[in-house]
Amino acid sequence: MFETRALLITGCNSGFGYELAKDLDALGLQVFAACLTSEGEANLTKKSSRGLRAFKLSIAQASDAQRALEVVKLKPVL
């Protein structure tokens, strides 16, 4: 049902973004989850399926934005 859909969610270290990313992943959607820290990225990845791609994204770091673009272009494997 959702195989061609993907979502990009920011603020996934904790709170609403974190819970939304986990819930939508559990429903089988392809989720790109932007986390402020590497620790947040690792925590979310550990608690999610292979269909969720977490990555570090701080707007203060140009390298993070480039990496985020690369992750989204790769698309997750479900």
Side-chain angles (χ1 to χ4, degrees):
M1 177 163 104
F2 298 115
E3 62 276 352
T4 60
R5 309 243 181 206
L7 297 148
L8 172 64
I9 303 169
T10 60
C12 293
N13 261 39
S14 62
F16 183 76
Y18 175 82
E19 294 298 330
L20 181 63
K22 285 193 334 180
D23 289 349
L24 294 177
D25 175 53
L27 289 174
L29 278 82
Q30 295 179 351
V31 177
F32 296 100
C35 299
L36 184 59
T37 66
S38 297
E39 294 80 16
E41 173 187 356
N43 183 43
L44 186 57
T45 298
K46 190 178 351 177
K47 296 181 180 182
S48 303
S49 79
R50 291 180 358 139
L52 182 138
R53 292 291 188 254
F55 53 92
K56 183 177 174 287
L57 179 61
S58 169
I59 60 169
Q61 299 293 323
S63 60
D64 282 0
Q66 183 60 42
R67 175 68 181 132
L69 178 61
E70 293 169 12
V71 169
V72 172
K73 281 183 176 181
L74 288 175
K75 293 190 179 177
V77 178
L78 294 179

